[in-house]
Amino acid sequence: MIKAGILGATGYAGAELARLLSAHPFAEIEILTSAHNAGAAYGDIYENFRHTGRVCEADDIEEAARRCDVVFISLPHGIASKRVTADILAKTRIIDLGADFRLKDIGVYEKWYGVEHFGAGLIAEAVYGLSEIHRADIRGARLIANPGCFTTAGILALYPLVKDRIIDIDTIIIDAKSGVSGAGRGLKPELLFCEADETVKPYGVTTHRHTPEIEEQLTLAYNNQDGGARSRAGDRSIILNFIPHLVPMNRGILSTCYAMPAEKGVTYEDVRAVYAKYYADEYFIRLTKKGVFPETRWTKGGNFIDIGFTVDERTNRVVIAAALDNLVKGAAGQAVQNMNIMFGLNERAGLETPPAFPI
Amino acid sequence: MIKAGILGATGYAGAELARLLSAHPFAEIEILTSAHNAGAAYGDIYENFRHTGRVCEADDIEEAARRCDVVFISLPHGIASKRVTADILAKTRIIDLGADFRLKDIGVYEKWYGVEHFGAGLIAEAVYGLSEIHRADIRGARLIANPGCFTTAGILALYPLVKDRIIDIDTIIIDAKSGVSGAGRGLKPELLFCEADETVKPYGVTTHRHTPEIEEQLTLAYNNQDGGARSRAGDRSIILNFIPHLVPMNRGILSTCYAMPAEKGVTYEDVRAVYAKYYADEYFIRLTKKGVFPETRWTKGGNFIDIGFTVDERTNRVVIAAALDNLVKGAAGQAVQNMNIMFGLNERAGLETPPAFPI
Amino acid sequence: MIKAGILGATGYAGAELARLLSAHPFAEIEILTSAHNAGAAYGDIYENFRHTGRVCEADDIEEAARRCDVVFISLPHGIASKRVTADILAKTRIIDLGADFRLKDIGVYEKWYGVEHFGAGLIAEAVYGLSEIHRADIRGARLIANPGCFTTAGILALYPLVKDRIIDIDTIIIDAKSGVSGAGRGLKPELLFCEADETVKPYGVTTHRHTPEIEEQLTLAYNNQDGGARSRAGDRSIILNFIPHLVPMNRGILSTCYAMPAEKGVTYEDVRAVYAKYYADEYFIRLTKKGVFPETRWTKGGNFIDIGFTVDERTNRVVIAAALDNLVKGAAGQAVQNMNIMFGLNERAGLETPPAFPI
Amino acid sequence: MIKAGILGATGYAGAELARLLSAHPFAEIEILTSAHNAGAAYGDIYENFRHTGRVCEADDIEEAARRCDVVFISLPHGIASKRVTADILAKTRIIDLGADFRLKDIGVYEKWYGVEHFGAGLIAEAVYGLSEIHRADIRGARLIANPGCFTTAGILALYPLVKDRIIDIDTIIIDAKSGVSGAGRGLKPELLFCEADETVKPYGVTTHRHTPEIEEQLTLAYNNQDGGARSRAGDRSIILNFIPHLVPMNRGILSTCYAMPAEKGVTYEDVRAVYAKYYADEYFIRLTKKGVFPETRWTKGGNFIDIGFTVDERTNRVVIAAALDNLVKGAAGQAVQNMNIMFGLNERAGLETPPAFPI
């Protein structure tokens, strides 16, 4: 059995990871940590784990690296870049669910996150952990930067169209709708039930930190036709609008993407063919039938992303909708999928249970 | 007191009208009708009216016209165009909450609604009942076509920008999010609680019937700089994407609108000035403070539409969000506002109670 | 116009009061206060009041008493008993929405609330503001102790049955279900959306502070057949189980009450007659039809309490359900009703709008 | 691999069964049937199964019996009692999720369900499938009557207390709160989102069909101290109040149970000891810590029932709360647990994933 550690197991993503690993056939949880609740029964914090008898340990990456084959980090941004070192990577593999190693351009990171990055030396080594796109690199990686929830939806929805240059990259708009768990478990007034129930609102309008992550990955896809994951001088940059909205539900992201075709006359079948080219063999990417659009409910608890689209001749626009569970394919499930790839397991191991409905 | 009738009082919009009129200082309900529940106590259908002792009468427009100063029609499309006649208009004023008299172009109506229009002769007379835009015409009107819920949000969000040609009309996208009451009270599987709770989905993608209504009104605004409400040869047509989404909440519409500025260098202040030009004196239109975006919760039960926006220099796009209560400003409240104008009352009469929160 | 002040206008009950008073035909808001937001625009805190231009003032009861005919206090318990003095009562009337003056037995107050009571001298004068039961005393009162939300539901559901001694007072159980707004706007982890959505839980099991309030009022009703509001030596005490539950909705309380009949053979009609005896002329108390039970949705935004019941011959139990809006009949609406009585107004003034549905 | 069939896979319980069996290590789905959708892709009905490629077959129990080692029946009551015959039981094992074989007293069945029972000959053989109580009988059974959702919560909450006669059986009240999925997927107006959202209501007051099921099982427990599952002359009958309420959430049941101790002086520890006596080794029954009460959210998607309680000295009552997922421990999970027992598997097989939160 692979021994796994979870640093930051008391956040929602960390807890979802604990849930998925609890039933994984080839991995087991060796250590769960909590910065504020070391020593506490995990079942006192998350009663759904009451039966496990697990206890939170201190947030010690050295200890975790010593005891584990793989350590998942689910901590606020700015911490992993300090704690993950060459020394740690010599002892264990790291899958970081935070933002610290996602952006290749450190200047972009520091600008959007407003903090200094302390792990510059490892950025080059870090592999962006979107399994379907970077599978080959993930296989041999020691350090995975697990993608953000919105970015997973946005990139996977648009990747084939950008890669094959079938859409005009200057016209991309992503209007995303997210459940509240995406905002985390912090005590913020706007996250109170009575403030978030029965309402919809935009937030982080034009300033959300997942924007540069989507842009960087799509830019790489557009320019590196050979599949490389590094930018080059002269690359054409993709700049887009990403506007998230908060929806009164626990989980789920729906990203509605708008773009104009790169040239006139693109048909539904053309676009479908491009999706098929890249995703036909991808188990966790499900294309809806023509005329059917994704709904977040069909993905809850599962590691799938559902994608549907139309080509509107009237307005000459492609409209794509992508749905996923932000805590699974958008975080913990994606992380387990990456672990499976890194350790040469069946990529679906521990992720076989279909999404639950209604739940 | 103005005597008011409601044809179709057992739908959600009809019931909301009954609620608002119940507390109106200058109007009273003379007749409530129901196609399927004539003779039933209204309080047996809507227990919130239990105390009123009202009884539903048959859906008879002749009877309603005879007894009422104004008749509100809240029936499925295709019915009002048959029942409203010159004879009826000679007896009473009509405010139709349905779609039959909203579109000036009968061909567009028949194409999008898929039914024949039987009241062609009255279309020219009908006034599109968006009070803030057509107030002068509403004053003397006998027949009001009360706007659709999505269209109210879309048009009011974009009207000043289109009218003053500050945005590029070929780049407009409206991504709307709606509560479930917008879909009505019909027994459809997808409207069951367990099918609509905890999920978001797009629907009517590129085919929703409110699309041509928004397009026609914005096209008129763009072309008729003199404020006229009729199209002319040579008019430039506005074609846009309108994609609604269903959100797990009872009420509320949030429309997020995207467009590029007509020319470079448009600033937040420029856009704000255009809104102020048209809306500064409009009680029911509230502009949010800079940096604040509307949320549907602040409008529930009230007749306001809240509008906020930003100008994103990075992508050169204007992003506007507008929020309203689909059953009030998007239906019954707008209808009462129109009644107030038609009868020379204070436009706010019966609409003074602020939105409720949390509710 | 009656000049009204609201101390603590930034809590949910205070804001609901502001909403109701905004449309009251005979009262107007003179002052809104906030302990933490003095000087802030009220519309910045509650955007639903954006259009009003109101500004929060400091929490100064002297100032409020000087400028207002009536001051509503909506502050945490323990504060009103310090601030309300004989001097204040000489200047204005007080309607306290908090708990400080509700219990006649100061020892019970101090035991259940765990704090010292500083206004003992005024307890005797304070009138328990359940309009339907203490109307006569409210009329001439200077100080009203507005009832708690759960207590209003529990007392009004059981009052006639206890008063007429038709149920066995040793067998009363109240199982209550409440929306989340009842817990207030404080930043508590268990009130976060993701912690309260899609779940039900009991809380304050056998320890909720509304318990003694219900017990005291029902005990008075049982013993004082003459309607007096003071206990006497030898009174039979009512002790009951009150167990509240948190339900994922913004508003509403449903109290399901269980009791055995005082003697065998009590019928539905017997119980109905007792309700009719006390409530037949009460506008705000609506009895459901036989076989129909109340639902909180029919009361949202309105000042009604709906009561329905059955007599189960199989188990020899009376089961009563009562529904109300915790922020209206359970707080702000009840307070306005009391104000109306105190000032000799029509008791329904400002409370005429029917509950809204769906909302 | 055990070959399993699901008759009625398009209801919510059937679909949950399909979900759980999809990831079962020792069982696989051989056939899914649908009365109305034979031939349809299962993924067209439940998009969460889109990736499976499964197709619904006709509702043919003969065919299912021929091909399967075990057939789960998830059909409306009245059907299984006709289709399950001695002949069928000679070919396969049956786990019926419906009500037809739950009640031993056929007269009680016909009275509460209002239909004739056609399978009287098999009632004696049928084993009531509450694993924790009837495990020994389940082991060798051919026909399992899987318990109802409310009954599972009610019986497991009260069984030890009734069995050990620590509570007064004439004082039992069960006030239950259920998510909407318990009402099934039928097109009923009261199940529409806008009718069920943001409200609580009692239903089936004193008439719900799970009442006699709870009563029969508790009566057997009380009288048969030897553990037998048959009633005898002279047995003392338990009659109780069971009042369910509908809560705006997809899943979950919380049953709050009230009873007086059989004699004075019963303590928390006494009651805890009785629970421990029967449940100490039960994996799927979790007792909460003292002072903590169950919440449905901790059980979602898992097969656990959480039980917490208090002994209220003030009122001399025991208050017990039990929470479970109505579609798992209340239906499909319980059925899988029974299958595991019948086939000699680890009872937890396929049920190891902890409940998900927040979801």
Side-chain angles (χ1 to χ4, degrees), chain A residues 12 46 180-182 184-189 191-198 247-250 359, chain C residues 12 46 180-182 184-189 191-198 247-250 359:
Chain A
Y12 290 147
Y46 285 108
V180 184
S181 65
R185 211 183 191 189
L187 267 187
K188 299 174 191 165
L191 300 184
L192 288 174
F193 183 87
C194 289
E195 310 285 322
D197 184 41
E198 296 284 311
V247 168
M249 59 185 194
N250 278 326
I359 196 164
Chain C
Y12 290 147
Y46 286 108
V180 184
S181 64
R185 211 183 190 189
L187 266 187
K188 300 174 189 166
L191 299 184
L192 287 175
F193 183 86
C194 289
E195 310 285 322
D197 183 41
E198 296 284 310
V247 168
M249 58 186 195
N250 278 328
I359 196 164

Side-chain angles (χ1 to χ4, degrees), chain B residues 12 185 191 193 195 250, chain D residues 12 185 191 193 195 197 250:
Chain B
Y12 291 146
R185 212 183 189 188
L191 299 184
F193 183 86
E195 310 286 322
N250 279 326
Chain D
Y12 290 147
R185 212 183 190 189
L191 299 184
F193 183 86
E195 310 285 322
D197 184 41
N250 279 326

